[in-house]
């Protein structure tokens, strides 16, 4: 038997620390919904906080974090893996390490990088970075480049995923990225036809409906 905290403490509901407006948080909530894992939700009230205690002890001052008893899991991929270990029924999940073709592996890399780039742009907005800042300009250009690449390649990348999957980290991240760009009014996404078509399809899932973005009450 695998000796983990899950095995020691199967009855405890984990606590997800995050924000309902955060795309990395939504990835984990979507996984929890798909995998049938119950959790409590704790909101990080202010992303400008410099206190690790506000981020469940995450030294990176980032969210999401999953607390499982005395253990904390940092970052969305670690959290999704722990949720999968806790799932009452095993689902067929395609993880990043299963993507052994350049197309699918690069799509995964670019989706997660685009999510991170969007975070930096939002934090720049919050900090009042001037609009003509050279680094900001490069990040905006990089984001547009990545979205164009993803729009050109998402169909083929999805075709390269195992047909019998229930869920893939790539598709969940792609859905959370594109819908978040609209939610935060970062840029209009309707011109990205393939990405929009994918999101419209993925949005039919009850897990997507149950995790719609919203701003938590202050
Ligand atoms: N690698 C982390 C990235 C998490 C991340 O960047 N989260 C954003 C919110 S969506 C954040 O904490 N931003 C705060 C900041 O950038 O200071 C993950 O996969 O969860």
């Amino acid at each position: 038997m695998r000796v983990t905290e899950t095995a020691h403490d199967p009855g405890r509901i984990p606590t997800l620390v995050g924000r309902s407006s955060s795309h990395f948080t939504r990835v984990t909530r979507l996984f929890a919904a798909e995998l049938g894992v119950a959790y409590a939700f704790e909101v990080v009230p202010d992303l400008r906080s410099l206190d690790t205690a506000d981020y469940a002890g995450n030294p990176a001052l980032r969210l999401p974090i999953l607390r499982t008893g005395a253990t904390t899991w940092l970052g969305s991929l670690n959290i999704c893996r722990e949720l999968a270990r806790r799932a009452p029924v095993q689902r067929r999940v395609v993880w990043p390490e299963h993507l052994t073709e350049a197309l699918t592996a690069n799509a995964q890399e670019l989706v997660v990088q685009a999510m991170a780039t969007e975070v930096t742009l939002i934090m720049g907005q919050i900090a009042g970075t001037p609009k003509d800042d050279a680094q900001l300009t490069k990040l905006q250009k990089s984001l547009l480049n990545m979205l164009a690449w993803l729009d050109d390649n998402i169909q083929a990348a999805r075709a390269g995923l195992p047909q019998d999957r229930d869920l893939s980290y790539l598709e969940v991240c792609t859905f959370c990225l594109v819908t978040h760009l609209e939610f935060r009014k970062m840029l209009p996404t309707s011109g990205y036809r393939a990405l929009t078509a994918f999101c419209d399809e993925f949005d039919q899932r009850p897990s997507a409906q149950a995790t719609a973005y919203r701003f938590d009450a202050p």
Side-chain angles (χ1 to χ4, degrees):
M1 182 179 158
R2 189 169 53 97
V3 179
T4 64
E5 189 183 329
T6 312
H8 288 312
D9 190 12
R12 277 282 279 282
I13 290 183
T15 299
L16 182 65
V17 181
R19 284 167 71 89
S20 308
S21 55
S22 140
H23 50 8
F24 282 111
T25 303
R26 190 177 189 186
V27 169
T28 61
R29 299 185 97 173
L30 228 145
F31 260 78
E34 290 279 346
L35 297 168
V37 179
Y39 61 93
F41 190 58
E42 222 174 85
V43 174
V44 175
D46 185 356
L47 286 185
R48 291 165 303 181
S49 168
L50 301 181
D51 187 348
T52 52
D54 287 337
Y55 304 85
N58 186 354
L61 307 179
R62 282 177 189 270
L63 52 98
I65 305 101
L66 187 75
R67 265 202 318 259
T68 57
T71 304
T72 52
W73 300 90
L74 309 178
S76 42
L77 182 55
N78 277 341
I79 293 171
C80 290
R81 289 188 204 282
E82 175 60 9
L83 292 171
R85 286 187 287 269
R86 287 174 173 256
V89 176
Q90 292 307 305
R91 311 288 308 277
R92 288 158 301 191
V93 181
V94 181
W95 298 106
E97 64 270 24
H98 295 141
L99 307 178
T100 52
E101 299 293 328
L103 180 68
T104 48
N106 290 340
Q108 181 67 72
E109 163 65 18
L110 291 178
V111 169
V112 174
Q113 183 56 58
M115 292 171 78
T117 300
E118 194 201 356
V119 169
T120 310
L121 289 170
I122 290 171
M123 295 310 288
Q125 282 172 0
I126 293 172
T129 306
K131 288 200 172 10
D132 61 352
D133 178 84
Q135 182 59 12
L136 187 76
T137 305
K138 183 178 178 191
L139 288 174
Q140 283 163 340
K141 175 71 178 148
S142 157
L143 182 59
L144 291 175
N145 288 351
M146 289 188 281
L147 288 169
W149 189 97
L150 288 166
D151 197 48
D152 288 344
N153 291 285
I154 191 66
Q155 252 181 319
R158 291 185 73 208
L161 298 175
Q163 294 303 305
D164 63 351
R165 69 191 180 281
D166 292 310
L167 198 60
S168 72
Y169 195 70
L170 172 62
E171 290 169 295
V172 173
C173 288
T174 304
F175 175 75
C176 292
L177 165 70
V178 177
T179 50
H180 195 257
L181 292 166
E182 280 290 337
F183 170 69
R184 291 303 304 241
K185 301 188 176 29
M186 183 61 65
L187 49 87
T189 58
S190 58
Y192 299 107
R193 303 295 281 271
L195 288 172
T196 303
F198 159 67
C199 287
D200 289 347
E201 180 192 322
F202 199 88
D203 199 33
Q204 304 304 312
R205 292 186 180 222
S207 59
Q209 297 288 319
T211 56
Y213 289 120
R214 63 181 177 79
F215 289 106
D216 297 300

